[in-house]
Amino acid sequence: MGVITSGTTKIEDYAFQGCENLISVIIPDSVTYLGSNVFENCEALVDVKLGNGLTSIPSYAFNLCPSLEEIVIPYRVNTIKQNAFSSCTKLTKVTIPRATTTVGNNAFSYPTKLTICGVAGTYAETYANDIGATFVNQEVKA
């Protein structure tokens, strides 16, 4: 498991690129910046918990992570940049929050096998429809 200590605020570009044995990573809420290609080509990476300090998922952040099956985007993220999760061959479920209003080109490589969970009427639903993904409403009633 990749251990990133609480209090860390930045994870620079390419920090964990090519870590072949990295299976799980928890990014604490204190992290407000992820660099591009940060977890690229981590072939065994299955479990990722992104912290709530993030407002953007950078380009190629999880590119070529073929074992990743599901990702929950934190509630403050407004942008998922191009190729953020490209070539993640097993990725079938993504939860996109209400705050997300931009998803870059090829952020997800296999939209027809992708289920996007989010709130009906938000950008998550529009995006799912635009790319041909399945949309599931996950609005929680008060």
Side-chain angles (χ1 to χ4, degrees):
M1 172 169 17
V3 178
I4 301 168
T5 58
S6 183
T8 301
T9 59
K10 292 177 86 174
I11 303 174
E12 297 292 344
D13 296 356
Y14 304 99
F16 294 92
Q17 182 189 40
C19 289
E20 294 176 7
N21 297 320
L22 183 63
I23 295 170
S24 176
V25 67
I26 298 172
I27 298 174
D29 292 344
S30 60
V31 173
T32 57
Y33 175 83
L34 280 183
S36 65
N37 306 78
V38 67
F39 293 98
E40 181 178 45
N41 204 22
C42 292
E43 293 183 9
L45 188 59
V46 174
D47 186 31
V48 175
K49 181 175 182 320
L50 299 170
N52 290 323
L54 297 172
T55 57
S56 177
I57 306 298
S59 298
Y60 298 95
F62 296 91
N63 178 47
L64 295 166
C65 293
S67 298
L68 189 62
E69 296 178 13
E70 180 178 347
I71 192 79
V72 176
I73 306 298
Y75 73 92
R76 294 180 58 219
V77 169
N78 55 43
T79 303
I80 301 170
K81 296 193 176 173
Q82 69 182 21
N83 298 97
F85 297 91
S86 58
S87 298
C88 294
T89 55
K90 289 187 180 176
L91 186 62
T92 58
K93 185 176 179 185
V94 178
T95 301
I96 298 178
R98 188 183 292 266
T100 302
T101 57
T102 304
V103 178
N105 291 337
N106 300 317
F108 306 97
S109 293
Y110 306 99
T112 57
K113 68 178 190 178
L114 194 61
T115 297
I116 295 177
C117 302
V119 177
T122 66
Y123 182 75
E125 182 176 24
T126 301
Y127 177 71
N129 291 333
D130 288 349
I131 66 169
T134 301
F135 179 77
V136 175
N137 183 21
Q138 286 200 325
E139 185 171 9
V140 177
K141 302 286 184 189

